[in-house]
Amino acid sequence: MTLAVSATAAWQSERNRLLGIAYRMLGDFGHAEDVVSEVAIDAVRQERRSGVDSWPAWLTTVCVRRSVDRVRQLAALREDYTGPWLPEPVDTSLLPEETLANRELLSLTLLHLAEQLAPEARAALVLHRAFGMSAPEIAEILEKTPAAVRQMISRSERRLDIDPDAPAPRAKDRAALEKLVRAIENGEIETVVAMLDRDAVLWADGGGKVKSAMNPLFGAARIARFFASIFGKAAAVHPVTADLINVNGGPAVVLRHSGRADVLVLDGAPDGSIRGLRQISNPDKLTRVSL
């Protein structure tokens, strides 16, 4: 076995796990695949220079550091993005089991919220919550002290409102989602409004490619007017249809109207109402979803 083959074999064995780390860091599956491919090249080069005691540890370290660098690069680009930026949804069936891990920090809601974290804090949270790594292990990767890593994780959990002792979030109530689907198809805007929290927020990502809300919409009344306008006009030409699909390890709604498809992800409040809606309409972001 040549040294290069040894490096390649190690990378192939770890590839899906590395992809899970990079995707959670970046919220973009294409960029995650790029990072993991770059790690493969780094592994071959490293093998030619000197031996590696633990390939999983070495590959994880390089993947995290490259992901941190890529997050910083993308931050500048996303400042110029047209309208709100939302993560790229991926059909659950396309995600390998190692990428799914325990499904922690995989939902589009948490991927979106995690954008507000500093890159290294996001890395610490991903490694700890989704892959069960300890503070000393993460500290070695990020070149921090274990105490600093614990502080980053704690602050990140508070900022994202994650219970540190809670298990991975369960799928949303399917009956509630089906009720929403029926209401949209039947044009029952009143039913949709009744399901919304009074202070609900809608983020709509059209990326400048399709007509969409350019800023977040706050409040059930404004969101209702937005849906009434969009679906009212669409229904006058063709019926609006809605179906349940599985993306990022959980259920979502795919809306078909005006010759296009949108993916709608919901964030439920403790009382069962909907407090957050994320509508991905940019067709460039829907290539990995079964529409």
Side-chain angles (χ1 to χ4, degrees):
M1 178 179 291
T2 66
L3 296 178
V5 170
S6 176
T8 302
W11 174 83
Q12 288 175 335
S13 177
E14 296 291 321
R15 179 184 180 276
N16 289 337
R17 186 176 64 85
L18 300 176
L19 192 57
I21 294 172
Y23 177 57
R24 285 171 172 86
M25 286 286 297
L26 301 167
D28 184 297
F29 208 76
H31 280 291
E33 289 178 321
D34 289 344
V35 164
V36 175
S37 295
E38 291 168 2
V39 172
I41 296 171
D42 291 342
V44 172
R45 290 173 177 168
Q46 177 63 28
E47 184 75 5
R48 288 171 179 167
R49 287 194 297 263
S50 62
V52 173
D53 293 333
S54 171
W55 273 117
W58 189 93
L59 291 167
T60 299
T61 297
V62 175
C63 181
V64 170
R65 291 177 181 174
R66 278 197 169 273
S67 295
V68 166
D69 290 341
R70 185 66 67 99
V71 168
R72 293 190 175 116
Q73 294 167 6
L74 292 176
L77 297 176
R78 288 172 183 173
E79 288 180 0
D80 297 326
Y81 192 79
T82 303
W85 181 92
L86 292 175
E88 176 190 14
V90 180
D91 195 306
T92 300
S93 64
L94 300 180
L95 294 170
E97 190 59 39
E98 298 94 327
T99 303
L100 283 169
N102 62 7
R103 306 199 179 192
E104 184 71 274
L105 293 177
L106 189 60
S107 74
L108 288 176
T109 296
L110 281 178
L111 286 177
H112 182 211
L113 292 174
E115 284 291 304
Q116 62 189 289
L117 300 178
E120 290 185 335
R122 185 167 182 171
L125 186 66
V126 166
L127 294 175
H128 176 68
R129 292 289 302 186
F131 295 90
M133 294 182 65
S134 67
E137 291 172 322
I138 299 170
E140 188 171 347
I141 292 173
L142 298 179
E143 298 180 317
K144 305 282 186 183
T145 66
V149 168
R150 291 188 189 95
Q151 189 174 57
M152 282 196 293
I153 293 170
S154 177
R155 287 177 176 174
S156 298
E157 288 174 336
R158 289 197 301 271
R159 190 160 187 179
L160 271 58
D161 195 24
I162 297 175
D163 183 347
D165 299 318
R170 295 183 302 173
K172 297 177 181 65
D173 185 353
R174 194 172 185 88
L177 286 172
E178 290 174 346
K179 179 181 179 181
L180 178 67
V181 166
R182 289 194 299 271
I184 292 173
E185 286 195 321
N186 295 329
E188 299 169 357
I189 299 300
E190 299 82 2
T191 302
V192 176
V193 174
M195 298 180 69
L196 299 177
D197 182 84
R198 176 181 174 183
D199 299 318
V201 184
L202 166 70
W203 293 266
D205 180 348
K209 303 295 179 69
V210 296
K211 188 175 181 180
S212 185
M214 293 298 293
N215 296 293
L217 299 181
F218 297 91
R222 290 192 67 192
I223 295 171
R225 288 195 296 271
F226 172 77
F227 278 138
S229 173
I230 295 294
F231 299 134
K233 294 176 182 177
V237 181
H238 295 289
V240 177
T241 63
D243 294 293
L244 290 181
I245 58 173
N246 284 298
V247 298
N248 291 61
V253 180
V254 57
L255 305 172
R256 299 179 184 85
H257 63 96
S258 308
R260 75 188 221 198
D262 303 340
V263 170
L264 184 65
V265 179
L266 309 177
D267 179 24
D271 64 359
S273 63
I274 300 170
R275 64 183 176 188
L277 304 92
R278 291 167 173 82
Q279 181 179 352
I280 301 97
S281 307
N282 184 345
D284 294 343
K285 291 188 175 183
L286 299 179
T287 60
R288 302 176 197 273
V289 178
S290 300
L291 299 175

